[in-house]
mmCIF file of all heavy atoms in Angstrom:
data_model
loop_
_atom_site.group_PDB
_atom_site.id
_atom_site.type_symbol
_atom_site.label_atom_id
_atom_site.label_comp_id
_atom_site.label_asym_id
_atom_site.label_seq_id
_atom_site.Cartn_x
_atom_site.Cartn_y
_atom_site.Cartn_z
ATOM 1 N N TYR R 26 -57.448 85.464 -282.841
ATOM 2 C CA TYR R 26 -57.706 85.832 -281.452
ATOM 3 C C TYR R 26 -56.512 85.464 -280.561
ATOM 4 O O TYR R 26 -56.047 86.244 -279.735
ATOM 5 C CB TYR R 26 -58.989 85.145 -280.927
ATOM 6 C CG TYR R 26 -59.194 85.331 -279.445
ATOM 7 C CD1 TYR R 26 -59.687 86.542 -278.947
ATOM 8 C CD2 TYR R 26 -58.870 84.323 -278.539
ATOM 9 C CE1 TYR R 26 -59.861 86.706 -277.583
ATOM 10 C CE2 TYR R 26 -59.034 84.504 -277.168
ATOM 11 C CZ TYR R 26 -59.543 85.702 -276.716
ATOM 12 O OH TYR R 26 -59.699 85.882 -275.364
ATOM 13 N N ASN R 27 -56.004 84.228 -280.757
ATOM 14 C CA ASN R 27 -54.843 83.803 -279.974
ATOM 15 C C ASN R 27 -53.624 84.686 -280.228
ATOM 16 O O ASN R 27 -52.806 84.940 -279.333
ATOM 17 C CB ASN R 27 -54.499 82.358 -280.276
ATOM 18 C CG ASN R 27 -55.421 81.360 -279.596
ATOM 19 O OD1 ASN R 27 -56.001 81.682 -278.565
ATOM 20 N ND2 ASN R 27 -55.565 80.190 -280.184
ATOM 21 N N GLU R 28 -53.502 85.166 -281.447
ATOM 22 C CA GLU R 28 -52.392 86.054 -281.797
ATOM 23 C C GLU R 28 -52.448 87.320 -280.945
ATOM 24 O O GLU R 28 -51.418 87.759 -280.371
ATOM 25 C CB GLU R 28 -52.497 86.403 -283.294
ATOM 26 C CG GLU R 28 -51.514 87.393 -283.819
ATOM 27 C CD GLU R 28 -51.784 87.766 -285.257
ATOM 28 O OE1 GLU R 28 -51.940 86.838 -286.092
ATOM 29 O OE2 GLU R 28 -51.898 88.966 -285.540
ATOM 30 N N VAL R 29 -53.623 87.933 -280.844
ATOM 31 C CA VAL R 29 -53.775 89.144 -280.035
ATOM 32 C C VAL R 29 -53.668 88.825 -278.546
ATOM 33 O O VAL R 29 -53.102 89.581 -277.766
ATOM 34 C CB VAL R 29 -55.118 89.836 -280.367
ATOM 35 C CG1 VAL R 29 -55.317 91.068 -279.492
ATOM 36 C CG2 VAL R 29 -55.158 90.225 -281.828
ATOM 37 N N TYR R 30 -54.208 87.676 -278.136
ATOM 38 C CA TYR R 30 -54.119 87.238 -276.754
ATOM 39 C C TYR R 30 -52.656 87.133 -276.316
ATOM 40 O O TYR R 30 -52.290 87.618 -275.230
ATOM 41 C CB TYR R 30 -54.818 85.866 -276.641
ATOM 42 C CG TYR R 30 -54.983 85.332 -275.247
ATOM 43 C CD1 TYR R 30 -56.191 85.468 -274.556
ATOM 44 C CD2 TYR R 30 -53.942 84.643 -274.606
ATOM 45 C CE1 TYR R 30 -56.352 84.942 -273.277
ATOM 46 C CE2 TYR R 30 -54.102 84.121 -273.331
ATOM 47 C CZ TYR R 30 -55.307 84.270 -272.671
ATOM 48 O OH TYR R 30 -55.467 83.752 -271.427
ATOM 49 N N ASN R 31 -51.811 86.526 -277.144
ATOM 50 C CA ASN R 31 -50.396 86.435 -276.832
ATOM 51 C C ASN R 31 -49.741 87.794 -276.692
ATOM 52 O O ASN R 31 -48.872 88.012 -275.849
ATOM 53 C CB ASN R 31 -49.669 85.634 -277.910
ATOM 54 C CG ASN R 31 -49.778 84.130 -277.722
ATOM 55 O OD1 ASN R 31 -49.494 83.626 -276.644
ATOM 56 N ND2 ASN R 31 -50.180 83.429 -278.745
ATOM 57 N N GLU R 32 -50.150 88.697 -277.559
ATOM 58 C CA GLU R 32 -49.553 90.033 -277.565
ATOM 59 C C GLU R 32 -49.961 90.850 -276.348
ATOM 60 O O GLU R 32 -49.116 91.407 -275.615
ATOM 61 C CB GLU R 32 -49.947 90.758 -278.849
ATOM 62 C CG GLU R 32 -49.442 92.193 -278.912
ATOM 63 C CD GLU R 32 -50.025 92.962 -280.088
ATOM 64 O OE1 GLU R 32 -50.556 92.331 -281.029
ATOM 65 O OE2 GLU R 32 -49.965 94.203 -280.060
ATOM 66 N N LEU R 33 -51.281 90.949 -276.095
ATOM 67 C CA LEU R 33 -51.779 91.832 -275.039
ATOM 68 C C LEU R 33 -51.632 91.223 -273.671
ATOM 69 O O LEU R 33 -51.473 91.937 -272.669
ATOM 70 C CB LEU R 33 -53.232 92.203 -275.310
ATOM 71 C CG LEU R 33 -53.534 93.042 -276.542
ATOM 72 C CD1 LEU R 33 -54.985 93.489 -276.551
ATOM 73 C CD2 LEU R 33 -52.617 94.255 -276.619
ATOM 74 N N LEU R 34 -51.722 89.899 -273.578
ATOM 75 C CA LEU R 34 -51.659 89.230 -272.278
ATOM 76 C C LEU R 34 -50.312 88.537 -272.082
ATOM 77 O O LEU R 34 -50.227 87.486 -271.429
ATOM 78 C CB LEU R 34 -52.792 88.234 -272.124
ATOM 79 C CG LEU R 34 -54.204 88.780 -272.252
ATOM 80 C CD1 LEU R 34 -55.234 87.758 -271.878
ATOM 81 C CD2 LEU R 34 -54.395 90.068 -271.427
ATOM 82 N N ALA R 35 -49.265 89.122 -272.634
ATOM 83 C CA ALA R 35 -47.924 88.580 -272.407
ATOM 84 C C ALA R 35 -47.651 88.566 -270.901
ATOM 85 O O ALA R 35 -47.885 89.527 -270.189
ATOM 86 C CB ALA R 35 -46.898 89.456 -273.126
ATOM 87 N N GLY R 36 -47.174 87.433 -270.437
ATOM 88 C CA GLY R 36 -46.946 87.266 -268.994
ATOM 89 C C GLY R 36 -48.081 86.582 -268.283
ATOM 90 O O GLY R 36 -47.924 86.147 -267.133
ATOM 91 N N ALA R 37 -49.234 86.489 -268.945
ATOM 92 C CA ALA R 37 -50.368 85.783 -268.348
ATOM 93 C C ALA R 37 -50.142 84.266 -268.441
ATOM 94 O O ALA R 37 -49.580 83.786 -269.429
ATOM 95 C CB ALA R 37 -51.674 86.173 -269.031
ATOM 96 N N ASN R 38 -50.594 83.552 -267.433
ATOM 97 C CA ASN R 38 -50.503 82.088 -267.472
ATOM 98 C C ASN R 38 -51.816 81.497 -266.954
ATOM 99 O O ASN R 38 -51.845 80.410 -266.364
ATOM 100 C CB ASN R 38 -49.335 81.594 -266.639
ATOM 101 C CG ASN R 38 -48.872 80.211 -267.066
ATOM 102 O OD1 ASN R 38 -48.996 79.817 -268.222
ATOM 103 N ND2 ASN R 38 -48.322 79.441 -266.140
ATOM 104 N N ALA R 39 -52.895 82.207 -267.171
ATOM 105 C CA ALA R 39 -54.183 81.827 -266.631
ATOM 106 C C ALA R 39 -54.681 80.504 -267.217
ATOM 107 O O ALA R 39 -54.344 80.143 -268.357
ATOM 108 C CB ALA R 39 -55.215 82.924 -266.912
ATOM 109 N N ALA R 40 -55.497 79.809 -266.448
ATOM 110 C CA ALA R 40 -56.296 78.733 -267.028
ATOM 111 C C ALA R 40 -57.327 79.351 -267.981
ATOM 112 O O ALA R 40 -57.756 80.486 -267.773
ATOM 113 C CB ALA R 40 -56.998 77.953 -265.911
ATOM 114 N N ARG R 41 -57.708 78.619 -269.015
ATOM 115 C CA ARG R 41 -58.610 79.200 -270.010
ATOM 116 C C ARG R 41 -59.552 78.135 -270.548
ATOM 117 O O ARG R 41 -59.216 76.948 -270.584
ATOM 118 C CB ARG R 41 -57.794 79.826 -271.168
ATOM 119 C CG ARG R 41 -58.543 80.831 -271.990
ATOM 120 C CD ARG R 41 -57.690 81.406 -273.091
ATOM 121 N NE ARG R 41 -57.725 80.604 -274.312
ATOM 122 C CZ ARG R 41 -57.213 80.984 -275.485
ATOM 123 N NH1 ARG R 41 -56.584 82.155 -275.570
ATOM 124 N NH2 ARG R 41 -57.295 80.215 -276.536
ATOM 125 N N CYS R 42 -60.729 78.580 -270.953
ATOM 126 C CA CYS R 42 -61.684 77.695 -271.606
ATOM 127 C C CYS R 42 -62.284 78.425 -272.781
ATOM 128 O O CYS R 42 -62.636 79.607 -272.678
ATOM 129 C CB CYS R 42 -62.765 77.264 -270.643
ATOM 130 S SG CYS R 42 -63.988 76.130 -271.350
ATOM 131 N N SER R 43 -62.364 77.750 -273.928
ATOM 132 C CA SER R 43 -62.952 78.348 -275.136
ATOM 133 C C SER R 43 -64.009 77.404 -275.690
ATOM 134 O O SER R 43 -63.722 76.248 -275.947
ATOM 135 C CB SER R 43 -61.852 78.588 -276.211
ATOM 136 O OG SER R 43 -60.872 79.479 -275.763
ATOM 137 N N VAL R 44 -65.233 77.937 -275.846
ATOM 138 C CA VAL R 44 -66.308 77.160 -276.445
ATOM 139 C C VAL R 44 -67.044 78.069 -277.415
ATOM 140 O O VAL R 44 -66.856 79.293 -277.422
ATOM 141 C CB VAL R 44 -67.288 76.625 -275.374
ATOM 142 C CG1 VAL R 44 -66.586 75.674 -274.407
ATOM 143 C CG2 VAL R 44 -67.950 77.754 -274.603
ATOM 144 N N GLY R 45 -67.889 77.465 -278.220
ATOM 145 C CA GLY R 45 -68.703 78.249 -279.145
ATOM 146 C C GLY R 45 -70.013 78.676 -278.544
ATOM 147 O O GLY R 45 -70.464 78.110 -277.529
ATOM 148 N N GLY R 46 -70.641 79.688 -279.109
ATOM 149 C CA GLY R 46 -71.937 80.162 -278.629
ATOM 150 C C GLY R 46 -72.446 81.319 -279.426
ATOM 151 O O GLY R 46 -71.694 81.945 -280.195
ATOM 152 N N VAL R 47 -73.724 81.615 -279.280
ATOM 153 C CA VAL R 47 -74.341 82.779 -279.926
ATOM 154 C C VAL R 47 -74.267 83.945 -278.960
ATOM 155 O O VAL R 47 -74.679 83.828 -277.800
ATOM 156 C CB VAL R 47 -75.787 82.484 -280.317
ATOM 157 C CG1 VAL R 47 -76.445 83.729 -280.930
ATOM 158 C CG2 VAL R 47 -75.879 81.340 -281.314
ATOM 159 N N LEU R 48 -73.723 85.062 -279.424
ATOM 160 C CA LEU R 48 -73.490 86.228 -278.565
ATOM 161 C C LEU R 48 -74.623 87.249 -278.702
ATOM 162 O O LEU R 48 -75.425 87.202 -279.625
ATOM 163 C CB LEU R 48 -72.144 86.838 -278.889
ATOM 164 C CG LEU R 48 -70.953 85.875 -278.792
ATOM 165 C CD1 LEU R 48 -69.657 86.549 -279.216
ATOM 166 C CD2 LEU R 48 -70.831 85.306 -277.396
ATOM 167 N N GLU R 49 -74.604 88.178 -277.754
ATOM 168 C CA GLU R 49 -75.735 89.103 -277.669
ATOM 169 C C GLU R 49 -75.839 90.043 -278.863
ATOM 170 O O GLU R 49 -76.939 90.355 -279.326
ATOM 171 C CB GLU R 49 -75.589 89.906 -276.361
ATOM 172 C CG GLU R 49 -76.863 90.554 -275.904
ATOM 173 C CD GLU R 49 -76.736 91.068 -274.479
ATOM 174 O OE1 GLU R 49 -75.881 90.583 -273.731
ATOM 175 O OE2 GLU R 49 -77.514 91.990 -274.123
ATOM 176 N N HIS R 50 -74.717 90.495 -279.382
ATOM 177 C CA HIS R 50 -74.745 91.358 -280.568
ATOM 178 C C HIS R 50 -74.487 90.536 -281.803
ATOM 179 O O HIS R 50 -73.551 89.721 -281.828
ATOM 180 C CB HIS R 50 -73.708 92.475 -280.437
ATOM 181 C CG HIS R 50 -73.900 93.568 -281.446
ATOM 182 N ND1 HIS R 50 -73.476 93.450 -282.750
ATOM 183 C CD2 HIS R 50 -74.524 94.782 -281.337
ATOM 184 C CE1 HIS R 50 -73.782 94.543 -283.414
ATOM 185 N NE2 HIS R 50 -74.423 95.377 -282.584
ATOM 186 N N PRO R 51 -75.298 90.683 -282.851
ATOM 187 C CA PRO R 51 -75.123 89.815 -284.031
ATOM 188 C C PRO R 51 -73.800 89.963 -284.744
ATOM 189 O O PRO R 51 -73.427 89.072 -285.499
ATOM 190 C CB PRO R 51 -76.297 90.225 -284.926
ATOM 191 C CG PRO R 51 -76.699 91.593 -284.449
ATOM 192 C CD PRO R 51 -76.439 91.627 -283.007
ATOM 193 N N LEU R 52 -73.082 91.059 -284.528
ATOM 194 C CA LEU R 52 -71.786 91.261 -285.186
ATOM 195 C C LEU R 52 -70.606 90.883 -284.276
ATOM 196 O O LEU R 52 -69.470 90.946 -284.704
ATOM 197 C CB LEU R 52 -71.657 92.698 -285.645
ATOM 198 C CG LEU R 52 -72.664 93.175 -286.687
ATOM 199 C CD1 LEU R 52 -72.425 94.639 -287.044
ATOM 200 C CD2 LEU R 52 -72.623 92.305 -287.928
ATOM 201 N N ALA R 53 -70.897 90.491 -283.052
ATOM 202 C CA ALA R 53 -69.820 90.129 -282.114
ATOM 203 C C ALA R 53 -69.215 88.796 -282.503
ATOM 204 O O ALA R 53 -69.939 87.841 -282.828
ATOM 205 C CB ALA R 53 -70.333 90.092 -280.691
ATOM 206 N N LEU R 54 -67.909 88.671 -282.450
ATOM 207 C CA LEU R 54 -67.202 87.448 -282.788
ATOM 208 C C LEU R 54 -66.677 86.735 -281.559
ATOM 209 O O LEU R 54 -66.409 85.527 -281.620
ATOM 210 C CB LEU R 54 -66.050 87.759 -283.753
ATOM 211 C CG LEU R 54 -66.437 88.384 -285.087
ATOM 212 C CD1 LEU R 54 -65.185 88.737 -285.893
ATOM 213 C CD2 LEU R 54 -67.341 87.455 -285.873
ATOM 214 N N VAL R 55 -66.504 87.453 -280.460
ATOM 215 C CA VAL R 55 -65.969 86.835 -279.236
ATOM 216 C C VAL R 55 -66.438 87.621 -278.037
ATOM 217 O O VAL R 55 -66.616 88.835 -278.096
ATOM 218 C CB VAL R 55 -64.430 86.734 -279.299
ATOM 219 C CG1 VAL R 55 -63.797 88.147 -279.272
ATOM 220 C CG2 VAL R 55 -63.882 85.881 -278.177
ATOM 221 N N GLU R 56 -66.690 86.905 -276.937
ATOM 222 C CA GLU R 56 -66.959 87.523 -275.642
ATOM 223 C C GLU R 56 -66.025 86.857 -274.625
ATOM 224 O O GLU R 56 -65.841 85.642 -274.679
ATOM 225 C CB GLU R 56 -68.406 87.377 -275.218
ATOM 226 C CG GLU R 56 -68.704 88.003 -273.851
ATOM 227 C CD GLU R 56 -70.186 88.139 -273.541
ATOM 228 O OE1 GLU R 56 -70.967 88.358 -274.492
ATOM 229 O OE2 GLU R 56 -70.547 88.050 -272.356
ATOM 230 N N VAL R 57 -65.475 87.665 -273.750
ATOM 231 C CA VAL R 57 -64.491 87.163 -272.786
ATOM 232 C C VAL R 57 -64.859 87.608 -271.386
ATOM 233 O O VAL R 57 -65.097 88.804 -271.160
ATOM 234 C CB VAL R 57 -63.071 87.656 -273.135
ATOM 235 C CG1 VAL R 57 -62.047 87.101 -272.153
ATOM 236 C CG2 VAL R 57 -62.702 87.307 -274.569
ATOM 237 N N ASP R 58 -64.919 86.670 -270.465
ATOM 238 C CA ASP R 58 -65.006 87.056 -269.040
ATOM 239 C C ASP R 58 -63.771 86.485 -268.342
ATOM 240 O O ASP R 58 -63.261 85.435 -268.703
ATOM 241 C CB ASP R 58 -66.308 86.612 -268.408
ATOM 242 C CG ASP R 58 -66.586 85.125 -268.492
ATOM 243 O OD1 ASP R 58 -66.031 84.392 -267.662
ATOM 244 O OD2 ASP R 58 -67.355 84.716 -269.380
ATOM 245 N N ALA R 59 -63.333 87.210 -267.340
ATOM 246 C CA ALA R 59 -62.042 86.881 -266.721
ATOM 247 C C ALA R 59 -62.099 87.049 -265.219
ATOM 248 O O ALA R 59 -62.892 87.838 -264.688
ATOM 249 C CB ALA R 59 -60.935 87.777 -267.302
ATOM 250 N N VAL R 60 -61.220 86.323 -264.547
ATOM 251 C CA VAL R 60 -61.034 86.424 -263.089
ATOM 252 C C VAL R 60 -59.569 86.675 -262.852
ATOM 253 O O VAL R 60 -58.693 85.976 -263.388
ATOM 254 C CB VAL R 60 -61.463 85.144 -262.368
ATOM 255 C CG1 VAL R 60 -61.376 85.341 -260.850
ATOM 256 C CG2 VAL R 60 -62.865 84.718 -262.762
ATOM 257 N N ALA R 61 -59.275 87.670 -262.022
ATOM 258 C CA ALA R 61 -57.913 87.945 -261.624
ATOM 259 C C ALA R 61 -57.812 87.850 -260.091
ATOM 260 O O ALA R 61 -58.824 87.859 -259.392
ATOM 261 C CB ALA R 61 -57.459 89.344 -262.073
#
């Protein structure tokens, strides 16, 4: 995930928080919400 984050969000310097959790779709591996 960090590999793709570095690639797609090049130039971003946002604060970030990562925690574990159960997501709404059983096949989902990550959910992201963002503020710009």
Side-chain angles (χ1 to χ4, degrees):
Y26 172 78
N27 282 334
E28 176 186 309
V29 177
Y30 187 99
N31 277 309
E32 177 188 343
L33 294 189
L34 302 189
N38 202 29
R41 200 179 87 170
C42 182
S43 299
V44 298
V47 177
L48 304 177
E49 199 168 338
H50 193 280
L52 298 179
L54 300 176
V55 66
E56 179 167 328
V57 181
D58 56 82
V60 185

